[in-house]
Amino acid sequence: QVQLVESGGGLVQAGGSLRLSCAASGRTSSRYVMGWFRQAPGKEREFVAAIMWNGGSTRYADSVKGRFTISVDNAKNTVYLQMSSLKPEDTAVYYCATTMDGRIQMSNVYPYWGQGTQVTVSS
């Protein structure tokens, strides 16, 4: 079992920045992939970014590439999502999740999820 707790969401103006955190506990492993997803009202949950728990390769959705950065601090068992140049369309509930499945952009392969944190970007 893995437990995930997100924090760091809030209200920010367009062009601003936020950093989300995801604290992991339980049976974490270097083989795990840590992912961030988001879900806006009336829309499906979508992939945002992912990173290997050992800090290896990263992957980003095209919509956030160049604006968001995912990173991991193994000493703190925490994954971060640094979000910059935020746009109103980034408004969503952001979730972190973890999986050992290589299909990292598919939400249904992630068995462990956090509760989510709201990010609202005003225009």
Side-chain angles (χ1 to χ4, degrees):
Q1 288 287 340
V2 179
Q3 294 77 43
L4 303 172
V5 179
E6 303 98 333
S7 61
L11 174 64
V12 63
Q13 289 188 334
S17 300
L18 278 176
R19 188 178 77 160
L20 305 183
S21 300
C22 173
S25 60
R27 297 183 62 183
T28 57
S29 164
S30 62
R31 294 178 295 169
Y32 277 120
V33 173
M34 302 299 297
W36 284 98
F37 289 78
R38 66 187 182 186
Q39 188 166 20
K43 294 188 177 181
E44 293 186 355
R45 193 168 296 188
E46 65 173 355
F47 171 78
V48 175
I51 188 170
M52 293 296 296
W53 183 248
N54 63 6
S57 60
T58 58
R59 191 175 300 177
Y60 297 92
D62 288 343
S63 59
V64 306
K65 205 170 292 183
R67 300 188 298 122
F68 291 10
T69 302
I70 189 171
S71 62
V72 61
D73 185 335
N74 294 123
K76 296 183 178 180
N77 273 2
T78 300
V79 177
Y80 302 99
L81 185 68
Q82 177 67 48
M83 306 185 295
S84 303
S85 301
L86 283 162
K87 305 174 182 180
E89 51 264 45
D90 294 318
T91 295
V93 177
Y94 283 71
Y95 299 89
C96 69
T98 187
T99 183
M100 294 179 68
D101 194 300
R103 297 167 292 173
I104 61 175
Q105 298 191 48
M106 298 175 61
S107 61
N108 60 359
V109 306
Y110 287 77
Y112 303 111
W113 291 83
Q115 81 288 353
T117 186
Q118 176 71 46
V119 172
T120 303
V121 184
S122 63
S123 56

